[in-house]
Amino acid sequence: MIGLIAAVSILGQAPELPALPPIRRDPQITYVDRNGAVIGVRGGKVAAPVNIDRLPAYVPAAFVAIEDQHFYEHSGFDPLRMAKAIATDLVEGRAAQGASTITQQTAKLLFLSSEKTVERKATELVYAIQLERSYSKKQILGLYLSRANFGGGAYGLEAAALRYFNKPASKLTIREAAMLAAVMKSPTNYNPASEPDRNAERTRLVLDAMVETGAISPDQRAEALASTPKVWKLSAQNPAQYFIDWTDDQVRHMVGAPKQDIVVETTLDLNLEDAAADAARTTVAHFKAQKVEQAAVVSVDGFGRVWTLVGGTDFATAPYNRAVEAHRQPGSAWKPFVYLTALEQGRTPDTMVVDEPVTIDGWSPRNFEPEFLGQITMQKALAQSINTVAARLADEIGRPNVASTAHRLGITSQINTDPAMALGTSLVTPLEMAQAYAPLSNGGYRVEAYGVERIRGAGGQLLYQHRQAPLTPVVANPPLGELVGMMRTVLTEGTGTKAAVPGYDLAGKTGTTTDYKDAWFCGFTGGFTTVVWMGRDDNAPMRRITGGIAPAEAWHAYMVHALKRIPRLAIPQGPPPPLPAPGVTQAGTPPTATPPSAAPAATPVSQPVAAQFRAGR
């Protein structure tokens, strides 16, 4: 205490307060969709300054009760509290700390660093006194609540209320206000999202202090303790959390830890993302009785741009990103790789095959339907998803060749080559499947799925630009056109009729795994592929859910919306024809095209199609 008073005297007359600095925060990463709509913000978050008069009385009272019970009585510092803290610290052999009033904390937040020196503490004390002379108690408390760090990138009470409870500060309950006041001791150790137990312990202390100071009654305390507010693990203000989670690590790798605010321009279409999320939630809810629990939806265009990436039905309660992290068996959605390999070896859609019992290396596949169809065409075998035919076909053409085909088209995971591989027993992600189906939609070109087009600094300077090299053709004709024709029949007369949208050129394949643990629908139109997966996180069976039921319905519900926002293009037959160039003036009227392979590596191929897609909305 004496040392601090001496330090103050050395400083001489109390200096004038500096001008209030801008609110400080960590650099922000703002993500925008392909049309410039904000889809999320990571990093420092800040909201408007707090107006104490617009808050329920118990909100500021929670902070006063736990941080500075004599706030309305002292003149900037609390001599008795300071003396007790110094005495305690002398016994423990540490520097004086723990006695700061809210006014002193405000002075430090506004004007000073966090270094623990006598000089800094003395300056803090002087500024606290000056703050009390220059501002009312309400104004000081408002400044404090506007600048305090609440963890999770949230600076200020308004930002914290939105971050953790998805509501303005004026709507906070007593329990929620106490939870945020509990954070002040340590934004890291008492974060309500990452440290719920520790936050709960300190929240109880805050509520006790509020009763002690008369801010609330014992009954209100009991009611608050009995409540269980919903805490958002990540901000609910970001509508495309699964997509942002996927791209966020990539962005930090591209530009490093941001030292300035940056804007990430992505490939996502927020309108379609919302439609896909709604289709996933609605369909899962509709089939809940059949034990459907989760879904993922991914859309990729003919250049690999990810337009939609939904990794689950509710990010707040289930943030695991099934679209990019869940490796599941694709079931019969794998069969196009088998049939393409067969077509490339000289077979045709009209080649006759036999649906009959078959045993390969001791393994006997079963069909979904109990009866056998006998001699049928390959086209009908794919449309009806006949397992015996696919298994025999893969054995004849060589399972390593099928694996090679799948890798060539875009599958990156390891592929097994045992007899059952023909029925999709290798583990893949929905994003991989969308990437591997994309060449069937764009005329035979392999794509690499990506989500970041460019990154700009605070002043608009370009920090990163996606560079698309000429696309590589990986499927030739006639096999490409033949397979697409076969996959059209899946929607017109096969297992995927629930996915059909009249008036559009669509093709695809259903997928269902053993014991109904996974169900898929993978389909495409010209230059646009969408994959839907449904299942359970515990890998338990669903109740007779096939790819032609729930996933096909979700695919249909989403694509009815998506097909109105993208150009109406027929699926290219090849030799790989050009994808549309700029110039579309209305949906369904593509201009004369320029082959994507002709685009120079220095210019992103994505730009022409992006312009054309925007024009078609």
Side-chain angles (χ1 to χ4, degrees), residues 61-259:
F63 292 86
V64 171
I66 196 66
E67 292 292 306
D68 184 4
Q69 291 190 3
H70 300 290
F71 173 69
Y72 291 106
E73 302 163 13
H74 61 65
S75 300
F77 67 98
D78 187 336
L80 182 59
R81 184 181 179 189
M82 189 178 294
K84 288 181 179 179
I86 292 174
T88 300
D89 290 342
L90 286 175
V91 172
E92 297 181 4
R94 296 183 290 108
Q97 57 181 330
S100 294
T101 63
I102 284 178
T103 311
Q104 287 174 267
Q105 294 179 55
T106 303
K108 184 174 73 171
L109 285 170
L110 291 174
F111 309 119
L112 302 170
S113 69
S114 296
E115 62 177 343
K116 296 179 179 179
T117 64
V118 172
E119 290 78 9
R120 199 276 297 163
K121 196 70 176 178
T123 304
E124 173 190 298
L125 186 60
V126 172
Y127 281 159
I129 295 171
Q130 285 292 78
L131 280 172
E132 293 279 350
R133 294 174 180 173
S134 304
Y135 297 95
S136 69
K137 289 288 187 180
K138 280 186 179 180
Q139 289 173 320
I140 292 171
L141 189 54
L143 286 169
Y144 172 66
L145 294 178
S146 298
R147 309 295 179 113
N149 177 12
F150 284 84
Y155 289 79
L157 182 65
E158 284 291 348
L162 289 171
R163 164 65 185 82
Y164 296 115
F165 304 115
N166 193 29
K167 62 173 64 173
S170 62
K171 300 296 184 181
L172 291 171
T173 66
I174 292 176
R175 175 64 182 264
E176 291 165 346
M179 291 171 69
L180 293 181
V183 174
M184 294 297 93
K185 185 174 178 65
S186 171
T188 301
N189 294 330
Y190 295 94
N191 186 302
S194 60
E195 299 289 342
D197 293 338
R198 299 184 71 173
N199 180 270
E201 291 176 7
R202 185 152 179 85
T203 295
R204 183 180 292 273
L205 295 178
V206 175
L207 292 169
D208 289 344
M210 293 175 74
V211 172
E212 180 184 341
T213 57
I216 60 174
S217 68
D219 287 344
Q220 287 177 304
R221 172 188 176 277
E223 184 179 347
L225 286 173
S227 65
T228 54
K230 178 179 180 179
V231 177
W232 295 77
K233 294 297 183 182
L234 285 174
S235 174
Q237 302 303 303
N238 299 342
Q241 289 280 20
Y242 289 110
F243 177 84
I244 295 173
D245 259 15
W246 174 56
T247 56
D248 196 55
D249 286 343
Q250 301 173 35
V251 168
R252 295 172 194 275
H253 178 74
M254 293 166 180
V255 299
K259 296 179 174 56

